[in-house]
Amino acid sequence: MNQSPSLIEQGISQQHLKTVSCANVLTLAYQSLGVIYGDLSTSPLYVYKTTFSGKLSLHENDEEIFGVFSFIFWTFTLIALFKYVFIVLSADDNGEGGTFALYSLLCRYAKLRILPNHQEMDEKLSTYATGSPGETRQSAAVKSFFEKHPKSQKCLLLFVLLGTCMAIGDSVLTPTISVLSAVSGVKLKIPNLHENYVVIIACIILVAIFSVQRYGTHRVAFIFAPISTAWLLSISSIGVYNTIKWNPRIVSALSPVYMYKFLRSTGVEGWVSLGGVVLSITGVETMFADLGHFSSLSIKVAFSFFVYPCLILAYMGEAAFLSKHHEDIQQSFYKAIPEPVFWPVFIVATFAAVVGSQAVISATFSIINQCCALDCFPRVKVIHTSSKIHGQIYIPEVNWMLMCLCLAVTIGLRDTNMMGHAYGLAVTSVMLVTTCLMTLVMTIVWKQRIITVLAFVVFFGSIELLYFSSCVYKVPEGGWIPILLSLTFMAVMYIWNYGTTKKHEFDVENKVSMDRIVSLGPSIGMVRVPGIGLVYSNLVTGVPAVFGHFVTNLPAFHKILVFVCVKSVQVPYVGEEERFVISRVGPKEYGMFRSVVRYGYRDVPREMYDFESRLVSAIVEFVETEPGLEEEEMSNVRRKKEECMEIMEAKEAGVAYILGHSYAKAKQSSSVLKKLAVNVVFAFMSTNCRGTDVVLNVPHTSLLEVGMVYYV
């Protein structure tokens, strides 16, 4: 099927896509196979192997095989199909999905202010809709709880960060287990091949995957969908073949009775083995997280009518093969492949593992970018890899960090079973976070009845807790890896968020009065020089302390002065026509303005290269449309023209950027823990992260930096 470039751009770039034809839906559904389902479709490589890696033994009556397949079928049906496809995909934020989308909805509807420079005018954004004003008793009670207990808002943020960090841990484990599982199949044809060589081959493939990230996925994305399609058709066809050839009776295992028989006969060992079963739904979060790249309907169509039946047939066929070949349990996937098609399937499996790895790596770039927008991660370099497709980005620091972690896990563990135990804990943790956030969304946003909300959380929560408990049991056997990774990332995110919040509070408390600065002019010899001065600050009101520090030491500033605040708002995207909010600072004769530049958490500031012209145009438009006294209409028109001419002349004279180069230090009375967090960790991250001038693309020849120490 040929992919229309216009449809690709439409499918990727629009945050709230509304399909109008069946052809569009099918085209987007086909494209989604290569972007969304790569991780989910490679799970058959290691599910049965990991499930039977413990003390769970196989008996002649095949009750264990039938029971495990029954668990896989119903887990896939209840969690992936019913929960995610039918329910969670409906909880979009202006067409965007993922943990941050749910959190953004809650912040807007419950009036949670995690961003310190929030303004009422932000609520007038076209994407800031909060639905009907009506309240239910349950939604009012939850909102009241958050209002009365500010610490609960921090706990909610930490909970979201936990899910986010586990998702990042997922991006370390997915490439590792997928590539190593795919490559390990070569040992069937070359039995004497040492394990070290398999690990080396896997590492070479991983290095290659991360090395091509800087070129962007759009250069090779056109082959992703055909690879995933070929892979799913291959394993489903082999599944049908194995079911018919080895044990057609496996179809009876679709009955949930076999799950009960399995747990009754295996006891604790059966419960522990469920940590392997849950790997069958790895990647379901990707369906929701990548919702903004496609339409909800196209994702539902692709999963319900193609991905779901293909994977069920694949698991069924492998179970049928295992029922007659108990001794091949640790190599069941490749052993179940008919001899004539082994090498073609092996090659497709390797490519499918690459596609699955690419999907989670790209998702991690988006997650980190969102964290930076919400002041939860140090500033990093964000590169657009496509001039046409919005949202395709590359972050060098994160890319190489992920590569090093993947190589460390691959070389350190060398065992897909231990990787599977780690993977299972990461997957179940993210699913539990989504379930809890969905409970709040159903209460506050959808305003569902309490019985509906309770049914959702009890039914799906109990299933996920069952799997989560079995994964926790395997913490010593590899489950400690995602815990260590998530705690490390959480510490980084929380300390950065804490430090930036405290710096903002310091700015707010130490604002200076412009009248005070102007009144000091004659006494300190203050003069106005030609040109435009752009003073960057996080403040949306008042004059930042850094400017007062600047004019006190250098008593002169530009004829036109603009206080610029580049901030993020709690929506995924901000339209270009709503980007700038211009206002005056002081009387007109001061020639001072404030410009608030707003971005959504999924936006990437990519137009900074033309920032000066766009900002000046916005200020001129503000001056021209500024209301005046009706009786002085002629003089107002003349004065506006003169002021616009002054602004354009000032731009021709040159633009200077004034940025604060601040250092945060803990107060002497602070605790040892706070001093460690602020003076050591936060200071280290501030020193080594991208500078504000780099993020804003400020030309060095026009840059003025003012040093300040913040005591927090």
Side-chain angles (χ1 to χ4, degrees):
M1 182 182 292
N2 295 324
Q3 299 183 30
S4 168
S6 61
L7 281 174
I8 293 176
E9 184 168 349
Q10 180 188 33
I12 298 292
S13 62
Q14 292 187 3
Q15 65 264 34
H16 191 57
L17 182 66
K18 294 184 178 179
T19 53
V20 293
S21 71
C22 182
N24 282 1
V25 173
L26 293 178
T27 303
L28 290 174
Y30 172 68
Q31 294 168 6
S32 71
L33 295 176
V35 177
I36 293 178
Y37 297 110
D39 184 10
L40 188 66
S41 63
T42 53
S43 297
L45 286 168
Y46 44 79
V47 168
Y48 282 108
K49 180 178 184 293
T50 307
T51 302
F52 289 98
S53 63
K55 298 178 182 179
L56 188 65
S57 57
L58 298 177
H59 297 93
E60 292 301 323
N61 60 7
D62 296 328
E63 201 165 83
E64 289 78 12
I65 293 290
F66 279 51
V68 168
F69 171 66
S70 186
F71 262 105
I72 291 174
F73 171 75
W74 285 105
T75 302
F76 216 78
T77 302
L78 295 176
I79 301 296
L81 186 63
F82 288 174
K83 177 191 169 184
Y84 278 90
V85 173
F86 292 160
I87 300 176
V88 176
L89 284 181
S90 302
D92 65 289
D93 181 15
N94 293 282
E96 291 298 321
T99 304
F100 274 104
L102 295 178
Y103 187 50
S104 175
L105 281 174
L106 292 173
C107 287
R108 297 207 304 272
Y109 279 78
K111 307 293 183 183
L112 306 180
R113 300 286 175 253
I114 62 157
L115 297 175
N117 49 15
H118 176 81
Q119 295 172 285
E120 286 189 8
M121 68 177 67
D122 296 339
E123 300 180 13
K124 297 179 182 178
L125 288 167
S126 58
T127 51
Y128 204 96
T130 55
S132 58
E135 290 284 355
T136 63
R137 187 171 59 181
Q138 294 81 19
S139 63
V142 175
K143 287 182 181 180
S144 176
F145 175 81
F146 281 120
E147 290 174 2
K148 292 179 180 178
H149 302 86
K151 289 186 177 180
S152 63
Q153 299 182 25
K154 274 290 183 189
C155 291
L156 181 62
L157 174 61
L158 285 172
F159 189 64
V160 171
L161 291 181
L162 172 64
T164 303
C165 293
M166 281 294 185
I168 295 174
D170 188 0
S171 66
V172 174
L173 296 167
T174 296
T176 303
I177 192 171
S178 299
V179 171
L180 189 58
S181 296
V183 172
S184 62
V186 76
K187 293 183 69 176
L188 285 180
K189 297 302 178 183
I190 313 177
N192 297 327
L193 185 67
H194 196 275
E195 182 187 2
N196 289 344
Y197 292 105
V198 176
V199 173
I200 290 173
I201 295 171
C203 289
I204 292 173
I205 294 175
L206 287 172
V207 170
I209 292 172
F210 286 101
S211 297
V212 300
Q213 293 301 312
R214 65 180 183 272
Y215 300 111
T217 58
H218 67 286
R219 299 184 188 274
V220 290
F222 67 94
I223 64 171
F224 282 4
I227 288 174
S228 294
T229 304
W231 168 249
L232 287 168
L233 288 175
S234 298
I235 60 176
S236 61
S237 301
I238 293 172
V240 173
Y241 169 81
N242 284 329
T243 300
I244 296 173
K245 180 177 180 179
W246 298 112
N247 194 349
R249 203 168 56 84
I250 191 67
V251 176
S252 63
L254 297 177
S255 169
V257 173
Y258 283 89
M259 292 191 292
Y260 169 74
K261 291 181 177 179
F262 172 77
L263 291 178
R264 185 185 62 183
S265 62
T266 58
V268 174
E269 290 304 323
W271 163 70
V272 172
S273 69
L274 295 180
V277 172
V278 77
L279 296 180
S280 62
I281 53 173
T282 57
V284 290
E285 278 287 335
T286 312
M287 282 195 300
F288 184 42
D290 288 334
L291 181 59
H293 291 178
F294 302 94
S295 68
S296 175
L297 181 58
S298 64
I299 293 176
K300 291 178 179 179
V301 167
F303 182 83
S304 303
F305 296 102
F306 187 67
V307 178
Y308 175 78
C310 283
L311 288 176
I312 293 300
L313 289 174
Y315 286 118
M316 182 186 295
E318 191 173 346
F321 175 84
L322 273 176
S323 66
K324 303 300 180 183
H325 303 82
H326 293 180
E327 70 282 358
D328 294 329
I329 186 63
Q330 286 302 302
Q331 295 178 318
S332 60
F333 178 81
Y334 282 111
K335 284 277 190 178
I337 299 174
E339 185 67 26
V341 296
F342 177 86
W343 285 111
V345 173
F346 173 78
I347 293 171
V348 175
T350 304
F351 279 112
V354 172
V355 172
S357 303
Q358 178 62 57
V360 294
I361 293 169
S362 300
T364 303
F365 292 156
S366 296
I367 289 173
I368 296 296
N369 184 53
Q370 294 171 34
C371 290
C372 291
L374 296 176
D375 288 335
C376 291
F377 200 83
R379 295 179 298 271
V380 290
K381 184 178 183 180
V382 179
I383 300 173
H384 281 269
T385 58
S386 173
S387 59
K388 296 181 179 179
I389 303 175
H390 180 87
Q392 286 200 359
I393 59 176
Y394 166 66
I395 303 177
E397 298 95 330
V398 175
N399 183 66
W400 302 123
M401 176 190 67
L402 288 178
M403 187 189 76
C404 292
L405 290 173
C406 284
L407 292 177
V409 172
T410 304
I411 298 171
L413 294 184
R414 299 172 173 237
D415 182 7
T416 54
N417 290 332
M418 290 188 69
M419 293 176 188
H421 300 157
Y423 201 9
L425 186 60
V427 169
T428 51
S429 299
V430 177
M431 289 194 302
L432 276 172
V433 170
T434 299
T435 298
C436 295
L437 292 178
M438 275 300 301
T439 303
L440 292 174
V441 168
M442 293 176 72
T443 304
I444 299 174
V445 181
W446 292 353
K447 298 178 175 60
Q448 294 291 319
R449 294 182 300 173
I450 189 66
I451 188 68
T452 305
V453 176
L454 285 176
F456 173 84
V457 70
V458 170
F459 182 74
F460 292 109
S462 59
I463 296 174
E464 290 163 2
L465 279 174
L466 175 66
Y467 287 120
F468 180 75
S469 62
S470 67
C471 293
V472 169
Y473 185 84
K474 295 183 178 180
V475 166
E477 302 174 23
W480 56 270
I481 295 175
I483 295 177
L484 179 63
L485 288 173
S486 62
L487 288 179
T488 303
F489 280 109
M490 272 193 72
V492 169
M493 290 181 177
Y494 185 77
I495 291 174
W496 183 261
N497 179 262
Y498 177 82
T500 51
T501 301
K502 289 299 180 182
K503 284 177 66 175
H504 180 80
E505 291 175 358
F506 181 90
D507 276 334
V508 172
E509 293 171 359
N510 292 273
K511 288 190 297 186
V512 295
S513 168
M514 181 52 67
D515 292 334
R516 173 67 175 165
I517 292 176
V518 174
S519 66
L520 289 174
S523 62
I524 61 175
M526 190 179 300
V527 295
R528 305 292 289 270
V529 297
I532 297 178
L534 304 182
V535 183
Y536 282 84
S537 165
N538 289 326
L539 295 178
V540 292
T541 59
V543 178
V546 67
F547 180 72
H549 190 61
F550 170 73
V551 297
T552 302
N553 292 275
L554 183 65
F557 54 89
H558 297 81
K559 190 173 183 180
I560 302 297
L561 198 66
V562 184
F563 295 98
V564 182
C565 173
V566 180
K567 71 170 190 175
S568 297
V569 290
Q570 293 167 332
V571 294
Y573 300 97
V574 175
E576 195 57 41
E577 67 282 356
E578 299 176 307
R579 182 82 67 206
F580 291 90
V581 178
I582 309 295
S583 59
R584 285 191 183 273
V585 177
K588 291 183 179 181
E589 56 268 21
Y590 284 9
M592 293 185 289
F593 301 88
R594 183 182 310 283
S595 173
V596 179
V597 189
R598 302 180 292 186
Y599 289 93
Y601 60 82
R602 288 297 298 266
D603 274 326
V604 181
R606 61 187 300 173
E607 58 284 299
M608 286 299 182
Y609 64 91
D610 197 28
F611 182 74
E612 291 178 12
S613 300
R614 295 169 61 248
L615 177 61
V616 171
S617 298
I619 294 174
V620 169
E621 183 181 353
F622 168 78
V623 171
E624 290 175 342
T625 58
E626 191 177 20
L629 298 175
E630 293 184 5
E631 57 268 20
E632 300 177 1
E633 184 175 350
M634 292 300 295
S635 61
N636 282 334
V637 172
R638 186 175 62 255
R639 194 183 307 114
K640 288 179 180 179
K641 287 184 178 180
E642 292 174 355
E643 188 173 6
C644 290
M645 287 297 296
E646 289 179 1
I647 294 172
M648 298 307 296
E649 289 172 1
K651 181 179 182 297
E652 293 298 323
V655 178
Y657 296 78
I658 304 170
L659 275 69
H661 195 80
S662 57
Y663 302 89
K665 287 189 175 181
K667 296 176 182 178
Q668 290 295 328
S669 57
S670 302
S671 64
V672 176
L673 185 61
K674 182 176 179 180
K675 288 181 179 179
L676 176 65
V678 176
N679 296 347
V680 179
V681 181
F682 183 75
F684 176 81
M685 291 190 290
S686 300
T687 304
N688 291 278
C689 73
R690 293 275 165 173
T692 309
D693 56 323
V694 178
V695 175
L696 300 173
N697 198 25
V698 175
H700 288 282
T701 54
S702 306
L703 176 63
L704 288 172
E705 286 191 301
V706 183
M708 280 195 69
V709 177
Y710 288 59
Y711 288 97
V712 298

